[in-house]
Structures are given as structure tokens and as C-alpha cells.
Amino acid sequence: MAEGLGSTAQRLLEAVGESDLEAVDRAVMELIELLRPTSSDEVLAGIRNAALRAHEATSYHRRRVGELTALHQIAVDLASVRNPDETLQAIVRAAQAVIPSADATYLLLSEPGTGWNYVKASVGLHNPDFMHVRVRDGYGMVGRIYETRAPLWTRNYTESSSFDHDSVVDRTLAEDGLRSVLGIPMIVRGVPQGVLYAANRVERSFTADEVSVLQQFADLASIAIENAESFAGLQRTAHDIGEDMTALERAAQLHADLTKLVVEGAQITDVLAPISAVLPGHLKLLDASDRVLAANGESTMSEEAFAQIRQSQRAGGAVSQPTPDGFRHVVAVATRNAYHGALVIESDQPLSDLDRRTLERAGHVVALLTLQQQALVEAENQVRGEFLHELLETRHELSDASRLRAHSRGIDLARRVVAIAISVPTQRQLGARRAMADFARLHKGVGGEHNGIVAVVLPSDDPHETATSVHARLTRELRIPALVCASRPVDGTTGAVSDAFVEARRCAALLRGLGTEPKAVTTHELALFSVLFTPGREHELTSFLDHALGRLEAYDRDHNTQLIDTISAYFDHNLNVAKTARSLFVHANTVVKRLERVADVLGDDWQAEPSATRLRVALLLRNYADGSPIWDAD
């Protein structure tokens, strides 16, 4: 077995070095087979689990490479100006190939001037009548999609009430067995020209990834349609044809260049050079906060430019306006549910329709790059979240692998650290979690969410200063009301972080239960209550509560009375019998009789010191003892 493992591992290393995903996958599968759990050896089990994860990662990356390769191939086809009918059929075929969950894909085109739409290309359809279906504008999903110019999907087409049905279309879909359908609009020069569909023969929901991928193919189909329309005007003068061909080649080259950037995983700012080469002028790239990320000239923005960006958002495409020095062309970079920034070009000449569409396609690629980078950030945050969970759950010394994981991500556990628990309103927790993940990364720590609570572990010897910094970041800069509690400093590699976080979490829960306003505190400041939130001291609290209240609890249990509730209200109302009775909704004589019964159980001196103080403290601690719901509250 050892010889087989060595040979397979060697092939795996060679395949990784050559970036051969097929070879990597085969080697991983062989490694999994060799490591089938016939032994209790934990090392072999760990290697096998790692191999399984590598196989899953390889499968995911193969799928992504397949999607991007298909998009790139279609872009190359467009650049080569192949037959538009062939291109549309290739797009439908490629879309069905990279969306394996789709049983069928088909493309519906608008017939100019007739108000009808017809099936132009398809893959996976069983019913031959489908290719002869004609849908009138305003009916079926196409009517709704043309109206909103946005993607639309339904789990059950024939039963959906979100659009007006066409009986012929419903019958044709039913005969083909298609039920769930996703449609993406193809928009040319601001006008819907057709819809690209993906359909299944079972009821299901479509994922955001599937919508995004099909959107890219719809965009490529739009380019193909636009190309076809461009070539339909061959009767124009030779000069006009030459100009259009040049613009088309520039657009295709730009799309190919931008697609290559996507495949190579480039940075968003890398798009400036290819766009500037095709669309001359002063180009600015803005992020989701409307900050200028990069520019090839002046980087300032006017109020008119920001208003034009908002106009582009509403229009869903590029918007041009004259300026004192020429023209300003803007396209908002957005997906269906999010705004990611904008491309702004200031030039001395207007854009042709094709150049405007080219600018819009560039915006789509920037959005794709943005989503790609966000996915990488989310993946890194997930790894850091897993490490945070490990750090706060481990009660023994960290393994060498964990230390290496921390070091590789700049997490400094060589110094002493403080564990911080943060209580924020539920609706602000997501924002606080992301803010603390970024804050911790900047300060060589780790932060995020742990068991429903925002948590941070930071290198520090001063808990108060650290808690104050975290509180300021959340409340002053982000305006998130937060109760921040920091633990005592502990060694970050010994497993003591887990107990330190339990202290901080319980401390924050206690303060929240007491109605404390948002502030920064440390567990040291609440040392009086340490028996509540220090792990391992629960037995001390139990012993104290049993000594102080045990006889009353037993009496209440045996006689179905409320002596403990009565003396708690009695102390809360400063020994005033009348107020106590009103708070308990009983007669004052009832309170007097209950207090006499307390004296029978505890002795006549129960209201004298130190007995009264001991009872008051016991009643307070009883409300916040370990096991109370406050420890598990959000």
C-alpha cells in the first residue's frame, strides 16, 4: 500500500505542477481508492479526507474553466465573423453543455415588424413541434421579460401566474415535459430582440451562478444578433462598410481581450488598457462606493457625472451626454441585485451605437471580474471563519498545521491575544461580522461569526485599548450600536483562547441582560461576577445558590408556592409590601403571609444583615446563572 501511495502521490505532484486538471483528478481518485478506511489510522483518514476535498475543488475548477472556455470560444467565433445562425446554435449548445442541470436550452428571436417571436436554435428538445412555435409579444415569459428587460424563472411554467399564458406554448411545453424555465433577455441597442432559455423537466429553482452564466451567453447571442444586423446593410457605401467593419473588429477584439482577462483571473483595474485602446478618451473606473479605482487621466468626478451614473442604473445601459469639452459616456456596472461601480469615458466625439454596446459589454465583463474577486474574498473569509471556529473551540495546544495556517494568512498568534465577543442588533450582525473580519485582517488577527456571535481574536496586551478600538470602529465609523467585551490576554497557541472567549461571551450576555448601553468593557472590570462567566467555576455558583436559596426552592416545589418570586419582588420594591403586592397582582395580606412563611423556612433574621445581602446577590446571580437562555441569545 505504501508503494502505491508513493507512486500515486508522485503523479499527483507532477499533474499539479503541469496544471493538468484531468491528471490531477485521476490521481486524486486513485489516492481516495488507496485510502479507503479499512484502518483506524487517523493519519490515513485525514489524508483521505484531504484527497476528497481536493477532488471536489478540482471538479469545481474544471466546471469554471469549462464555462470560461466556452465563453472565450464563442467570443473567438464572433471575432472570426462566422455565420450568425451557426453562432447562435453554438451558443445554445455551449450553454447547455456548461449548465449540466439544464435538460434543454433554446433561443427565441423577435421577428421585426410582426409582433411575433420564433424559436431560432435549440438543444435537448424532444417535441419536433417546438421549432414551429410562434409567441406573440406580451404573452408567455417572453412578454414579461421584454417588459422588465430582466431575467425571469419559474418552477412550473404552466402553473405560473406571473405572466399571461399562450395556450399553444403551454401545450407544447407540456408535451415536451418541460416544467421549470429560466429566461434571459437579449438586448440590442436598448431593445429586446429575443430570449435565451434553459429548461428542466422537473420542478426546481435556478441558482445565481446559473443565471449569471446564462446571462453571459445571452450577451454573446446579442452580439451575434447585432453582428447579423450590421452585415444586413451590405448595400451601404464601401466607406460605411469599412467603418462598421473596423468598429466591429475593435469590439470583437475588446471582447476577446476582456474575456482573456476573465479567464486569467485579472484584477478589475486591468480592464483600463484594452478599453482605452478601443474607446479613446479619459477613462475612469469607479467601485460600488463611487470611488475612482483607476483612471488614465483626471480622476475627479462632477455631480453631473454621478447623476448620469444613476441614470445609467435606471436605464440598464450606457448613457451619453454632451459636456462643455465634448461628450461623457457612462455605463453602470451592475448585476440584477447589486451595483458594483461604473465606467466613465470623457471624449471629444459621440459614440456610435456599436461603440455604445461595446461599452456596455465592457461593463458586463467588469461586473464578472468583480463577482469573481468577491467569490475569492468569500472563499478566504470562509477559511478564516473555519480557523476562528477552530481557535475558539480548541482546548488544547494548536497543531503545527493550524500554526502554519495562521502564519500563512498573517495572523499573529506568537504574541498574547485577547478574545472579544460583540453583541449587536440582529439586523446589523452581517455588517458587523464583515467589518470585524476586515478589521482583524488589518491587525494580524481573525474575526467573523462564531455560534451566532460576532467574535474577534487580536494580538494585544491591553484588553481595554483593544475593546475601545473595536467599539470605535463599529459605532463611530459604521454607526453599528455594539456592546464589546474583551477577555484577559492569553497565549494564542495553548488553547486558552477558547476559555477566554467563553468569559467574554458570558460577560457580554450578562451586560446585555442587565440592559447595559452599547460600550466597550473587559472581563476584568466585572471581576465581581467572574463566578458567572469564568469556565470551571460553575460548581461554586451552584453551591452558593443552593446554600442561599435551596430551602426556599424546595418549599416552592413541594407546596406549589412562589416564595422566591415574592422576596425577589419585595427586595426590588425596597421592602414595600403594597408595591410588592401590586407588582405580583395579589392582595397585600397575601404578601405578608408569604413573608411570614419565608421566616418559617429561613429564620426570623432573614431580612437582617448579612442574610439580606446574601439573598439579594443570590437572586441576582440566579437570573444569570450558566444554563440560562441569555448565554444562547443572539
Side-chain angles (χ1 to χ4, degrees):
M1 177 178 177
E3 181 178 356
L5 283 173
S7 174
T8 303
Q10 180 62 34
R11 289 200 303 276
L12 177 59
L13 291 174
E14 291 174 356
V16 171
E18 296 173 0
S19 298
D20 187 343
L21 291 179
E22 293 290 340
V24 168
D25 196 38
R26 287 196 301 271
V28 167
M29 292 305 297
E30 292 179 19
L31 193 60
I32 291 172
E33 289 298 321
L34 289 172
L35 294 173
R36 286 194 178 278
T38 57
S39 168
S40 61
D41 191 323
E42 293 182 358
V43 174
L44 291 180
I47 295 175
R48 182 175 182 274
N49 290 334
L52 285 170
R53 289 194 298 272
H55 172 62
E56 293 171 356
T58 302
S59 299
Y60 171 79
H61 287 296
R62 182 185 294 107
R63 179 171 62 82
R64 292 296 297 146
V65 168
E67 294 171 357
L68 295 174
T69 301
L71 288 169
H72 181 264
Q73 184 58 52
I74 296 298
V76 171
D77 290 343
L78 292 174
S80 63
V81 198
R82 65 183 291 180
N83 184 296
D85 291 347
E86 296 177 0
T87 301
L88 293 178
Q89 183 63 40
I91 289 172
V92 171
R93 187 183 303 110
Q96 201 268 347
V98 300
I99 305 180
S101 61
D103 294 326
T105 53
Y106 54 100
L107 188 147
L108 202 71
L109 280 187
S110 173
E111 197 171 57
T114 67
W116 289 88
N117 303 270
Y118 63 98
V119 177
K120 181 66 175 178
S122 68
V123 173
L125 296 177
H126 296 163
N127 186 357
D129 293 337
F130 218 121
M131 295 302 296
H132 305 291
V133 168
R134 291 164 59 84
V135 185
R136 185 182 304 175
D137 286 349
Y139 289 87
M141 287 181 65
V142 65
R144 183 65 175 166
I145 292 173
Y146 279 4
E147 178 184 353
T148 63
R149 303 188 182 186
L152 176 67
W153 63 267
T154 175
R155 291 178 58 87
N156 190 316
Y157 185 97
T158 57
E159 295 180 5
S160 176
S161 60
S162 60
F163 49 82
D164 294 330
H165 284 264
D166 182 297
S167 59
V168 175
V169 176
D170 286 5
R171 184 176 64 256
T172 305
L173 282 167
E175 290 174 353
D176 205 282
L178 298 177
R179 300 178 69 83
S180 55
V181 182
L182 164 64
I184 305 291
M186 298 180 299
I187 301 176
V188 178
R189 300 188 184 95
V191 179
Q193 295 290 327
V195 179
L196 179 59
Y197 291 98
N200 285 90
R201 294 184 172 89
V202 295
E203 291 190 16
R204 62 179 293 270
S205 300
F206 290 89
T207 68
D209 283 344
E210 291 172 325
V211 174
S212 178
V213 170
L214 199 63
Q215 178 73 67
Q216 298 305 310
F217 282 103
D219 290 341
L220 293 173
S222 299
I223 294 177
I225 295 170
E226 189 167 12
N227 290 351
E229 293 179 357
S230 298
F231 288 120
L234 293 178
Q235 296 179 349
R236 293 176 301 177
T237 65
H239 178 268
D240 290 338
I241 293 175
E243 286 187 349
D244 289 346
M245 286 296 297
T246 300
L248 183 61
E249 290 172 359
R250 288 190 293 114
Q253 184 60 50
L254 174 60
H255 196 82
D257 291 342
L258 294 178
T259 302
K260 183 179 179 182
L261 293 179
V262 174
V263 174
E264 294 176 347
Q267 297 295 314
I268 297 175
T269 53
D270 292 337
V271 303
L272 255 68
I275 295 176
S276 297
V278 173
L279 302 174
H282 297 301
L283 176 64
K284 302 182 186 72
L285 174 63
L286 281 67
D287 64 10
S289 300
D290 285 338
R291 294 175 298 186
V292 177
L293 289 178
N296 63 359
E298 178 61 46
S299 60
T300 58
M301 290 282 292
S302 65
E303 291 298 325
E304 292 79 6
F306 288 123
Q308 195 172 341
I309 292 174
R310 304 286 86 81
Q311 182 183 357
S312 175
Q313 280 185 266
R314 292 189 297 270
V319 175
S320 298
Q321 288 183 357
T323 65
D325 300 321
F327 296 88
R328 181 172 52 244
H329 316 288
V330 171
V331 63
V333 177
T335 53
R336 183 176 184 181
N337 298 317
Y339 168 71
H340 303 291
L343 285 169
V344 179
I345 297 179
E346 294 177 345
S347 65
D348 57 2
Q349 57 186 357
L351 292 181
S352 66
D353 287 342
L354 187 56
D355 285 341
R356 183 174 60 81
R357 292 294 294 167
T358 299
L359 179 60
E360 291 174 349
R361 299 292 180 237
H364 291 160
V365 173
V366 172
L368 185 60
L369 283 171
T370 301
L371 293 175
Q372 188 179 63
Q373 292 191 0
Q374 288 177 352
L376 292 174
V377 171
E378 287 296 328
E380 175 62 17
N381 286 342
Q382 181 177 352
V383 173
R384 286 177 171 268
E386 291 172 355
F387 179 72
L388 175 66
H389 183 76
E390 176 185 357
L391 193 62
L392 298 182
E393 289 291 333
T394 301
R395 294 183 178 272
H396 52 76
E397 187 170 351
L398 292 181
S399 64
D400 291 340
S402 296
R403 293 170 187 257
L404 179 61
R405 185 190 301 179
H407 178 73
S408 66
R409 286 170 171 77
I411 301 172
D412 187 0
L413 298 180
R415 294 174 49 191
R416 296 211 301 168
V417 301
V418 296
I420 301 174
I422 304 170
S423 175
V424 298
T426 302
Q427 65 272 22
R428 303 300 302 275
Q429 189 172 47
L430 179 59
R433 184 182 70 192
R434 291 177 174 172
M436 288 299 96
D438 294 339
F439 183 87
R441 188 179 294 110
L442 292 175
H443 293 81
K444 296 186 177 181
V446 59
E449 179 269 338
H450 178 68
N451 293 340
I453 298 173
V454 181
V456 188
V457 177
L458 295 171
S460 174
D461 290 312
D462 189 337
H464 180 74
E465 179 182 357
T466 303
T468 301
S469 298
V470 170
H471 183 262
R473 169 64 178 158
L474 289 170
T475 59
R476 297 178 189 172
E477 298 182 33
L478 302 178
R479 301 192 182 283
I480 299 177
L483 181 59
V484 179
C485 187
S487 75
R488 68 191 188 284
V490 296
D491 189 329
T493 62
T494 63
V497 181
S498 177
D499 285 344
F501 179 71
V502 171
E503 291 183 22
R505 175 175 61 82
R506 292 178 174 179
C507 174
L510 172 64
L511 293 175
R512 186 173 63 245
L514 293 173
T516 305
E517 293 294 323
K519 61 187 297 187
V521 298
T522 67
T523 56
H524 178 73
E525 297 174 48
L526 295 175
L528 174 65
F529 296 97
S530 62
V531 69
L532 274 174
F533 46 76
T534 302
R537 298 191 62 186
E538 292 84 356
H539 66 284
E540 298 178 30
L541 177 61
T542 301
S543 177
F544 171 71
L545 292 178
D546 184 65
H547 182 268
L549 301 174
R551 286 174 291 171
L552 289 175
E553 288 181 336
Y555 190 93
D556 279 346
R557 185 173 57 253
D558 295 341
H559 298 84
N560 194 27
T561 55
Q562 296 87 38
L563 298 186
I564 289 183
D565 292 341
T566 300
I567 64 170
S568 178
Y570 186 56
F571 283 135
D572 288 344
H573 292 89
N574 297 318
L575 312 184
N576 187 303
V577 172
K579 291 182 179 180
T580 301
R582 284 195 295 271
S583 70
L584 296 175
F585 301 101
V586 298
H587 195 274
N589 290 340
T590 301
V591 173
V592 172
K593 291 180 180 179
R594 290 180 181 179
L595 296 179
E596 291 174 350
R597 188 70 56 169
V598 171
D600 293 339
V601 175
L602 299 181
D604 293 335
D605 63 344
W606 69 275
Q607 298 187 56
E609 297 297 344
S611 297
T613 297
R614 182 170 62 251
L615 281 173
R616 287 176 182 268
V617 172
L619 289 169
L620 175 62
L621 296 184
R622 177 176 178 268
N623 290 330
Y624 302 108
D626 200 10
S628 169
I630 67 166
W631 299 140
D632 302 319
D634 290 336

